[in-house]
């Protein structure tokens, strides 16, 4: 192979000094074809191997290895051959005597990487939104939890909307759309999605999908079209993929702490508003092109038919929630929202509970069980719903049941006050009283002192002296 200095010498003698190709060939003792090639090419000389270097140890097994690599293209990604596994098969099945490093080096040469060519995609104002879920960790009420970030981004203006949920189930997916459309003040023509189960029940051939019925209901209400990426091709919605990483690194680093999910989402909303300002010009174009949000309400709740068991509990997502005991044995509807669960009989909401995302938890409200406790008063001593009340109720129960054999009835009378007063108010009043002095009358007086005062005032004006004064006042008025 010729060096660059040799090429330079030949080219100068020919183009500057006028030497002919024959003269150069004779003077330098090289073929005329080589001289012509050096005169035509000005690049740095390099050696190009015309054939692969032979590998006597591995060449006999080339066909076997190539066949394995070909079959791996249709095998599950996590169950394809590694170089170590191919080495084991060569040793066990073909008596290969070479080393594993030789096999690795040989396979590396066979696996020629092919870089995929991507196409830059565009959209007109109001044409497309892209949607995806991401994850980040935050502190909610001093507890570190995983936040599921519903991310929606308009393709043309790149204006984002992000809201955090404790889950990415169907109800969160639907609620994210409702909140996103409200934030943008309009709806684009189409949405681009991956193939998550909240949107797709079954991937069919080509672009066809069998959509989740509630996702189809959402599209029918808001009147936008849906398009889906090819499976395992998230790059097709790169606009939203980049947003997931961007919001996590810009809005949630270092790991922030919030008192509640509402406070977390207020923080994310402020971040989205700042991002909107960065894209103000294109956002105005896009905003004008969005279709108006329909005036009718779309519910993000996931409805479930549930049966009330003999303990007046229903099961929703592996947790149990109480309903008033008179509905025991009935089939009712549970509407699962992101934050709460409504339990409905007919068209009436008979109970509402804060949503739990753990498993095996039981949530009971004492008010739901008061009629049953009236019929079975002795149950107040060991009923689970009573035992989970604030600790002050436990101290009062023990004191009253120890005082005499029918003390449980006195304790039940205290519990029945929960029909009139909030549990938190009763607990707070009990904390300020001596347990030994607690009766229904004294507790009621502590809870409603104004009612007691008005009753006393009514008794005062019934005396003869005050009645005469009252009549005199009436006469003066007349």
């Amino acid at each position: 192979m010729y060096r660059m200095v040799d090429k330079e010498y030949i080219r100068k003698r020919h183009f500057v000094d006028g030497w002919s190709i024959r003269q150069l060939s004779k003077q330098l003792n090289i073929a005329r074809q080589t001289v012509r090639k050096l005169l035509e090419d000005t690049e740095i000389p390099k050696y190009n191997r015309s054939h692969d270097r032979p590998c006597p140890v591995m060449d006999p097994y080339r066909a076997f290895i190539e066949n394995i690599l070909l079959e791996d293209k249709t095998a599950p990604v996590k169950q394809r051959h590694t170089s170590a596994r191919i080495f084991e098969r060569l040793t066990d099945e073909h008596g290969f005597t070479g080393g594993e490093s030789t096999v690795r080096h040989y396979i590396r040469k066979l696996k020629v990487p092919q870089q995929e060519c991507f196409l830059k995609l565009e959209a007109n104002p109001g044409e497309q939104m892209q949607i995806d879920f991401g994850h980040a960790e935050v502190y909610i009420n001093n507890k570190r939890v995983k936040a599921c970030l519903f991310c929606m981004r308009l393709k043309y203006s790149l204006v984002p909307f992000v809201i955090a949920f404790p889950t990415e189930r169907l109800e969160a997916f639907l609620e994210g759309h409702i909140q996103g459309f409200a934030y943008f003040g309009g709806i684009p023509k189409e949405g681009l999605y991956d193939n998550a189960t909240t949107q797709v029940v079954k991937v069919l051939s080509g672009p066809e999908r069998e959509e989740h019925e509630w996702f189809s209901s959402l599209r029918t209400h808001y009147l936008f079209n849906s398009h889906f990426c090819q499976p395992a091709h998230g790059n097709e919605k790169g606009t939203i993929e980049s947003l997931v990483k961007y919001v996590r690194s810009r809005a949630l680093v270092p790991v922030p702490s919030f008192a509640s999910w509402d406070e977390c989402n207020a923080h994310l909303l402020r971040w989205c508003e700042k991002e909107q300002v960065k894209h103000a010009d294109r956002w105005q174009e896009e905003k004008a092109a969005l279709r108006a949000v329909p005036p009718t309400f779309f519910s993000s709740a996931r409805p479930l038919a549930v049966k009330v068991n003999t303990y007046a509990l229903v099961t929703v997502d592996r947790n149990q929630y109480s309903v008033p005991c008179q509905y025991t044995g009935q089939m009712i509807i549970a509407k699962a929202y992101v934050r709460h669960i409504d339990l409905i009989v007919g068209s009436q909401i008979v109970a509402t509970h804060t949503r739990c995302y753990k498993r095996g938890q039981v949530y009971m409200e004492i008010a739901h069980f008061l009629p049953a406790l009236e019929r079975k008063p002795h149950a107040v001593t060991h009923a689970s719903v009573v035992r989970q009340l604030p600790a002050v109720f436990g101290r009062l129960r023990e004191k009253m049941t120890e005082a005499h054999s029918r003390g449980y009835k006195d304790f039940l009378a205290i519990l029945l006050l929960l029909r009139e007063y909030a549990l938190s108010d009763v607990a707070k009043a009990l904390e300020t009283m001596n347990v030994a002095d607690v009766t229904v009358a004294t507790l009621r007086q502590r809870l409603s002192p104004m009612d007691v005062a008005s009753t006393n005032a009514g008794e005062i004006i019934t005396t003869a002296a005050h009645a005469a004064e009252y009549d005199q006042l009436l006469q003066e008025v007349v």
Side-chain angles (χ1 to χ4, degrees), residues 129 131 133 150 152 161 163 165 170-188 193 214-215 217-219 221-222 224 293-302 336-338:
M129 61 179 174
I131 294 92
F133 266 105
F150 176 88
M152 178 186 287
F161 170 75
I163 185 170
F165 296 117
L170 176 62
E171 49 269 34
F173 176 72
L174 298 177
E175 183 67 21
H177 281 79
I178 296 171
Q179 297 295 333
F181 294 150
Y183 174 75
F184 291 133
I187 307 163
Y193 300 85
W214 277 96
F215 177 54
S217 177
L218 177 80
R219 291 198 306 101
H221 181 83
Y222 288 106
F224 66 90
V293 177
T296 53
F297 174 75
F298 182 85
S299 174
S300 62
R302 177 167 51 95
Y337 293 86
V338 175

Side-chain angles (χ1 to χ4, degrees), residues 313-327:
L313 299 171
V314 299
T315 301
V316 179
D317 293 334
R318 303 189 185 185
N319 293 306
Q320 293 186 315
Y321 304 88
S322 68
V323 297
C325 59
Q326 63 264 34
Y327 300 111

Side-chain angles (χ1 to χ4, degrees), residues 251-271:
L252 300 174
V253 174
V255 179
S257 180
F258 305 103
S260 65
W261 286 103
D262 289 339
E263 185 178 311
C264 174
N265 285 324
H267 167 75
L268 291 173
L269 187 61
R270 289 192 295 271
W271 180 85

Side-chain angles (χ1 to χ4, degrees), residues 8-64:
E8 180 186 5
Y9 177 82
I10 293 172
R11 291 176 60 80
K12 280 185 175 180
R13 297 290 80 78
H14 178 74
F15 293 109
V16 177
D17 298 335
W19 289 24
S20 66
I21 294 177
R22 181 188 297 272
Q23 185 178 0
L24 286 168
S25 173
K26 184 176 180 181
Q27 181 73 21
L28 301 176
N29 195 24
I30 55 177
R32 280 177 287 177
Q33 292 87 344
T34 303
V35 174
R36 289 192 182 94
K37 186 184 296 185
L38 293 173
L39 292 175
E40 294 171 359
D41 183 20
T42 60
E43 294 183 1
I44 299 173
K46 56 185 178 181
Y47 178 75
N48 296 317
R49 190 185 297 276
S50 58
H51 301 286
D52 290 338
R53 180 180 295 174
C55 183
V57 177
M58 294 301 306
D59 283 344
Y61 308 102
R62 183 182 181 96
F64 174 74

